[in-house]
Amino acid sequence: MTIEIQVDGTIPAQFAIVSALLPEQAAVLLDGETITYGQLAQQSRLVTNFFVNELGDIQTPIPVLHTSQTRMIPLLVGIVNAGHMYSAISSQEPAARIVSILKDLGAPLLVVCEPELLALAREVCLPEIKIILASDASSETETLTRVNLGPESCAAITFTSGSTGEPKGIVRTHKMILHLANTYQEQFDFGPDTRMLAIRPYSASASFNELFTPLITGASIVPFDLRENGLGQLAQVLRQQKVTIMHPTVQVLRTFLDTLAPGANFPDIRYFFATGDILYRTDVEKMRQVIPVSAVIVHQIAMSETGLLAVNKILSDTVLDSDVIPAGFPVKGKEVLILDEGGSILQAGEVGEIHVRSRFSFPGYWRAEGKTSERFVPDPLDTSKKIFATGDLGRLRPDGQLEHIGRKDWRVKIRGFSVDLAAIEHVLMSSSKIHQAIVIPGTASDGQKKLVAYIQPAVGETLVEQELRILILARLPSYMLPALFMMIYQVPLTSSGKVDRKALPAPDWNQAQSTSEYAPAQDAVETKLVEIWQKVFAIQKIGTQDDYFELGGDSLLASVLFLEIERVFGQSFPLSILLKHPTISSLAGLLRKESSASDLEDLVALRAAGSKPPLFLAPGSGGDTITFLELANALNMDQPVYGLEDFHIGTPESIYANGIGAAAVEFIRAIKKVQPEGPYYLGGHSFGGVQAFEIACQLEQAGEEVGLLMVFDAAVPKKITRHKKLDKRLKTYFANLKQKSFKEKILYILERIKWRFKLLSKSKWVQKIYKLKIIQDRLWFDRHRYPFMARTEYQPGKFNGDLVVYRSTEKPLYKTWDITEAWPEFVTGRVTYYDVPGNHLTMLRQPYVAQLAALVTEHLGQAFERSEPQK
């Protein structure tokens, strides 16, 4: 039997229809007791009469202070039927928070569910607030003086602190709740044969779903007080009450599954939900083990203000094509938009803030017009209307499914890098040894912001830091490696069952960070290096055998480290030295020889091991081989990768001092020491693409085979082709300026002037002036100086093979031309273009480098196959 729901009606009207049609149907199933719809209608009617008589026809918020929640249903239904709005308050909340909520509500009375809470009620109430015991809220006397209700009337208010720590009242209207019930009826077959577990406290926003959706559709509620009974009894309740819908948060779900005995199963479950957080493939695999094959796992995204947004139904034979489960397709009546920071709609696959357009979203925060206006922004398709900005990040897949990335404040800046905390948690959660992982930014003893990872091991598992570091560094860049790992054995949860990040224990920054046995300094050189590393890493105890990258070092921190080394020792080294010498002991050996890298080769092994032919990569001008580290790590583990290194970059000894052609000769000499014969596989980023092109030309002229030539966002080896007509360029510039504020216009114009001067510095006559010794001696250190001069004088030839070009998709607004467009002029073979995510620099970094690495791996494999018959 399906009961029609009028989404533009009211809850009392809908409940009256259900209780009249199904008076003998079980509405509430308590332990050993059943409340039918007829009985619930009668019990709630007495409550309704009381509040109608007490408060009259002016709608009023009614706060309800409670400890247990299993017997609150008649009370809450009665309040809503009276036309008022309830606000459930747990007695376990801090007294100061209860006072704040009551002050915000401005209610004339407080309902207390249990007599033992009367003392607390007197403590938190002002003298003018009337305290009423729930058992006294009953009256046989009916009156015609009732609140005039409509679909937009408020039914309940819940308070959430959000990121500010101050309670915010979230208003739920009758229309919102009816639309939610209608969605569940359509999506999950809600009706008289449905039994839904009500596990959330009624102070939580999501509790409306577990309370009203069953009562509006004729289903049965199975209340279960998690705090009072604990998870140990939940399995028994699910079986005894034949629960068909289980709707826990992801955190409660994981803990519940860990408490189950081997072989446990729940044959009556039809829909097994996981809500309120990111869901992983490992979670789904565990859920499948305890439910029937016919049951459906449901991942969804719902927010306090917007309600249910998207649903993903996972059948027993659904193939899970990613570690993170998408939130699914937006529900009817809710349109999801992904906007960038400027308020423009993003394309599929691009990450931005989730916005919602719907007539069923909440009307605003209780008595907080300022907070409400902050969250409603102009609709980009109709600026006369408003849409809700959720504060959560996500992206839409090409098929329309929504992926939930996490809160906007889960993206933080660490040492200048934008770090996605959810991505680190995702990698940690991929380990079966980890039950829960939470990563937050913390402030270390030196005042620097650093990452802290809180790890709850799975039952029976023991973890060591080295395992965790290796796990992260295998899949993420080193700047995303937490500086501190803290083991916890119980994750603090909020009253709604989500992780309470504010309640995590304070970080212990004195905790040792090394992953190897401590090795003290042996001489003055090592002692000074230890002091430098401790200063740069802000770690009190570092040994001479500790690995730079395992400590969390990256290319940005390396520049700081080597500036300190140059200041103390007076010797300069390229950053890529760390790839060969990642420990203090190894670096000290170089310093003792008083070497300035003159005895080093022109190749740096990013990965020397592997059975496949090596890949040789040239970095951009002023760049460093270390910029390819994340790409190398993302390639097949059997793929050797070497970087072509200018160990004297920016000095007269630079490998580019005599031009790109001369540099190619030196690089080929170094390449042949690793691989004496072809076919050779080459690539280069930016300026390095031109260098790789010249190496390929010289190898070809020498009769060697080039198996594959790739360039990553590399400009052609001549003047960049831009729009030939000035009016087209100006049109683009003026269009960009039009959409900016006055301050942004000034910054934009200054950026354009800076770009013009940069182009001027690359001109031939300026480069010739740079060559004059009297000028060179007065120039500041410029890493780009010699590559610029070499490129200016370079006369490219022709490469007779094929070329693969990878182009970044994110470009500055002022670039109205394609820097890679003219490559076919220099290649007689086929030029194939592939667009990859990220900008000119971030395409080589996580998370974007993963897609680039997949393409490179595919194209290398094809090239290896083509070359095999010729061997």
Side-chain angles (χ1 to χ4, degrees):
M1 179 180 181
T2 301
I3 298 175
E4 184 179 354
I5 299 174
Q6 299 294 331
V7 295
D8 286 310
T10 65
I11 294 172
Q14 189 68 36
F15 178 72
I17 293 172
V18 175
S19 57
L21 289 174
L22 303 169
E24 302 303 319
Q25 165 70 19
V28 182
L29 293 167
L30 293 169
D31 184 22
E33 180 184 354
T34 298
I35 302 176
T36 66
Y37 272 93
Q39 292 169 334
L40 179 59
Q42 175 58 29
Q43 293 174 18
S44 63
R45 187 179 298 115
L46 299 177
V47 176
T48 296
N49 292 340
F50 175 84
F51 285 109
V52 168
N53 293 328
E54 184 77 19
L55 298 171
D57 60 354
I58 299 177
Q59 191 178 43
T60 302
I62 300 178
V64 179
L65 185 65
H66 66 95
T67 297
S68 176
Q69 62 188 60
T70 53
R71 298 191 177 273
M72 289 177 64
I73 294 175
L75 173 65
L76 300 184
V77 172
I79 291 173
V80 174
N81 284 347
H84 299 292
M85 61 200 89
Y86 73 83
S87 182
I89 305 172
S90 171
S91 61
Q92 298 187 25
E93 295 281 4
R97 178 175 165 85
I98 297 175
V99 170
S100 178
I101 291 174
L102 291 175
K103 182 180 178 181
D104 198 11
L105 286 171
L109 51 79
L110 171 66
V111 179
V112 178
C113 286
E114 295 91 6
E116 56 267 27
L117 296 180
L118 287 172
L120 174 61
R122 297 186 186 101
E123 177 187 345
V124 297
C125 281
L126 294 173
E128 60 267 25
I129 295 179
K130 184 177 182 180
I131 299 174
I132 298 172
L133 198 60
S135 57
D136 296 333
S138 175
S139 174
E140 294 283 353
T141 305
E142 294 189 19
T143 177
L144 299 177
T145 307
R146 293 177 177 270
V147 176
N148 186 22
L149 285 180
E152 304 292 345
S153 299
C154 177
I157 304 170
T158 55
F159 283 83
T160 175
S161 58
S163 58
T164 65
E166 292 296 323
K168 289 187 300 185
I170 297 175
V171 173
R172 288 280 189 181
T173 65
H174 288 253
K175 182 170 68 175
M176 289 177 66
I177 295 172
L178 290 168
H179 174 260
L180 176 65
N182 188 65
T183 301
Y184 267 70
Q185 185 184 66
E186 293 179 351
Q187 293 266 9
F188 311 114
D189 310 316
F190 263 65
D193 62 343
T194 301
R195 295 187 173 193
M196 185 176 192
L197 184 75
I199 199 172
R200 287 171 174 75
Y202 288 120
S203 56
S205 181
S207 65
F208 301 118
N209 184 25
E210 297 175 352
L211 172 62
F212 287 111
T213 295
L215 298 181
I216 288 169
T217 58
S220 301
I221 305 173
V222 180
F224 183 82
D225 194 316
L226 195 60
R227 285 184 174 179
E228 186 177 334
N229 300 312
L231 283 170
Q233 297 182 37
L234 181 54
Q236 182 180 356
V237 170
L238 291 174
R239 294 192 190 97
Q240 286 182 347
Q241 300 290 5
K242 299 184 182 299
V243 170
T244 62
I245 304 283
M246 187 175 178
H247 197 268
T249 63
V250 170
Q251 310 305 330
V252 171
L253 166 77
R254 289 177 184 147
T255 304
F256 170 65
L257 292 176
D258 283 347
T259 65
L260 297 176
N265 66 89
F266 305 98
D268 298 296
I269 293 288
R270 295 204 310 254
Y271 292 97
F272 197 2
F273 284 74
T275 70
D277 208 337
I278 297 171
L279 188 71
Y280 298 106
R281 187 207 308 260
T282 51
D283 295 319
V284 175
E285 290 169 348
K286 291 179 180 179
M287 294 168 77
R288 282 174 167 171
Q289 295 174 12
V290 300
I291 57 176
V293 175
S294 59
V296 178
I297 292 172
V298 181
H299 183 37
Q300 65 176 42
I301 177 171
M303 300 173 187
S304 299
E305 295 88 345
T306 64
L308 182 62
L309 285 187
V311 169
N312 183 7
K313 296 180 181 179
I314 305 167
L315 307 180
S316 60
D317 58 352
T318 299
V319 176
L320 306 177
D321 57 3
S322 62
D323 290 335
V324 177
I325 307 301
F329 296 98
V331 300
K332 187 170 68 175
K334 302 282 178 71
E335 185 176 358
V336 173
L337 303 176
I338 308 296
L339 305 186
D340 62 17
E341 293 183 355
S344 298
I345 298 176
L346 295 174
Q347 301 298 314
E350 296 181 302
V351 175
E353 185 176 356
I354 299 172
H355 291 69
V356 182
R357 179 194 290 134
S358 174
R359 71 186 187 93
F360 299 107
S361 290
F362 89 130
Y365 297 106
W366 176 255
R367 291 184 171 179
E369 292 184 6
K371 292 177 181 178
T372 300
S373 62
E374 288 175 5
R375 300 297 297 275
F376 283 92
V377 300
D379 188 329
L381 299 179
D382 184 354
T383 54
S384 66
K385 297 180 179 179
K386 298 284 188 178
I387 58 176
F388 183 74
T390 65
D392 281 41
L393 295 175
R395 60 181 162 223
L396 289 171
R397 287 184 168 190
D399 63 0
Q401 286 201 78
L402 175 65
E403 288 187 17
H404 182 222
I405 307 297
R407 295 291 301 170
K408 280 176 68 176
D409 52 18
W410 287 6
R411 288 203 168 186
V412 297
K413 283 280 187 180
I414 301 292
R415 299 198 305 273
F417 289 98
S418 178
V419 175
D420 183 355
L421 303 180
I424 307 173
E425 294 177 0
H426 165 119
V427 171
L428 290 168
M429 289 296 296
S430 68
S431 170
S432 60
K433 293 184 177 181
I434 296 176
H435 170 79
Q436 182 65 45
I438 305 108
V439 181
I440 64 170
T443 302
S445 52
D446 63 350
Q448 297 295 315
K449 185 184 288 185
K450 297 185 179 181
L451 298 176
V452 184
Y454 293 85
I455 308 296
Q456 181 183 359
V459 176
E461 297 288 352
T462 302
L463 293 166
V464 295
E465 287 186 15
Q466 188 170 11
E467 287 182 83
L468 302 173
R469 293 176 185 276
I470 292 172
L471 177 65
I472 291 174
L473 289 173
R475 296 175 62 179
L476 293 175
S478 55
Y479 64 79
M480 295 179 76
L481 180 69
L484 179 64
F485 290 90
M486 292 191 64
M487 299 298 163
I488 57 176
Y489 295 93
Q490 185 173 1
V491 175
L493 301 179
T494 65
S495 60
S496 59
K498 297 182 180 180
V499 173
D500 189 351
R501 293 172 183 260
K502 297 175 185 176
L504 290 165
D508 179 9
W509 294 106
N510 294 321
Q511 184 174 312
Q513 297 299 298
S514 67
T515 61
S516 57
E517 187 176 348
Y518 176 72
Q522 299 297 314
D523 59 15
V525 173
E526 290 188 356
T527 299
K528 289 180 180 179
L529 282 176
V530 167
E531 291 173 355
I532 291 171
W533 281 45
Q534 288 178 163
K535 177 182 177 182
V536 171
F537 282 104
I539 296 175
Q540 293 184 0
K541 188 177 181 181
I542 293 180
T544 59
Q545 296 301 320
D546 292 342
D547 187 282
Y548 172 82
F549 296 101
E550 288 189 4
L551 286 171
D554 51 43
S555 58
L556 181 65
L557 201 63
S559 62
V560 178
L561 179 70
F562 279 99
L563 281 175
E564 283 293 308
I565 290 175
E566 185 175 1
R567 183 183 65 81
V568 174
F569 292 96
Q571 296 188 59
S572 176
F573 293 97
L575 307 186
S576 297
I577 285 294
L578 285 169
L579 297 169
K580 290 185 175 181
H581 303 279
T583 66
I584 289 174
S585 176
S586 183
L587 273 178
L590 286 177
L591 288 166
R592 291 191 197 99
K593 290 190 292 185
E594 298 185 351
S595 168
S596 60
S598 59
D599 60 340
L600 296 169
E601 295 290 342
D602 297 321
L603 288 185
V604 172
L606 295 162
R607 184 189 294 128
S611 61
K612 299 182 182 297
L615 171 63
F616 300 96
L617 299 172
S621 63
D624 196 287
T625 298
I626 204 170
T627 60
F628 286 122
L629 185 59
E630 292 182 45
L631 175 61
N633 289 338
L635 295 176
N636 192 304
M637 293 299 292
D638 200 29
Q639 177 62 62
V641 184
Y642 291 86
L644 308 178
E645 186 72 52
D646 179 5
F647 282 110
H648 303 280
I649 193 165
T651 71
E653 290 77 31
S654 169
I655 199 169
Y656 297 110
N658 296 313
I660 289 176
V665 173
E666 293 301 314
F667 282 134
I668 290 172
R669 177 187 59 79
I671 287 171
K672 283 186 171 289
K673 287 185 178 181
V674 174
Q675 184 185 353
E677 297 179 351
Y680 294 97
Y681 304 90
L682 308 166
H685 173 246
S686 192
F687 167 80
V690 178
Q691 185 62 69
F693 170 82
E694 175 60 22
I695 293 171
C697 289
Q698 289 194 22
L699 285 170
E700 197 174 55
Q701 291 166 8
E704 297 283 6
E705 180 187 351
V706 176
L708 180 62
L709 175 60
M710 302 173 287
V711 296
F712 311 108
D713 223 35
V716 293
K718 70 169 190 177
K719 187 176 180 181
I720 296 174
T721 302
R722 293 175 286 166
H723 280 315
K724 295 179 180 179
K725 292 186 178 181
L726 178 62
D727 64 326
K728 288 188 176 180
R729 298 207 304 271
L730 290 176
K731 185 177 180 181
T732 302
Y733 299 152
F734 283 124
N736 291 334
L737 284 169
K738 187 177 181 181
Q739 57 184 308
K740 297 181 181 298
S741 66
F742 177 77
K743 182 179 179 181
E744 290 172 333
K745 286 183 172 69
I746 298 298
L747 294 175
Y748 183 84
I749 292 170
L750 291 175
E751 181 64 30
R752 297 303 307 128
I753 294 173
K754 180 181 176 182
W755 175 255
R756 298 308 303 177
F757 273 107
K758 188 174 182 181
L759 290 179
L760 180 65
S761 70
K762 296 181 180 181
S763 63
K764 286 187 178 182
W765 66 271
V766 173
Q767 295 298 329
K768 286 179 180 179
I769 293 175
Y770 281 173
K771 281 195 169 184
L772 297 175
K773 189 176 188 303
I774 190 172
I775 298 295
Q776 284 193 22
D777 292 343
R778 286 162 175 76
L779 286 176
W780 63 86
F781 180 80
D782 183 1
R783 294 172 65 88
H784 300 271
R785 186 195 322 175
Y786 292 99
F788 277 177
M789 289 191 288
R791 185 186 181 93
T792 301
E793 298 176 348
Y794 180 52
Q795 297 297 323
K798 288 270 190 179
F799 177 60
N800 295 315
D802 297 336
L803 174 68
V804 176
V805 181
Y806 302 102
R807 298 182 296 196
S808 63
T809 54
E810 296 178 18
K811 302 183 185 301
L813 284 173
Y814 58 80
K815 281 199 175 178
T816 57
W817 62 92
D818 180 3
I819 62 174
T820 69
E821 186 178 22
W823 270 110
E825 297 180 25
F826 303 92
V827 177
T828 60
R830 182 175 60 179
V831 179
T832 310
Y833 289 90
Y834 294 91
D835 291 330
V836 295
N839 61 32
H840 187 67
L841 298 177
T842 60
M843 66 185 295
L844 294 176
R845 300 174 186 164
Q846 291 286 4
Y848 305 116
V849 75
Q851 186 167 329
L852 175 63
L855 288 170
V856 171
T857 300
E858 178 185 349
H859 298 148
L860 280 172
Q862 294 169 354
F864 294 156
E865 290 179 5
R866 288 194 300 268
S867 300
E868 279 180 1
Q870 301 174 20
K871 290 185 178 181

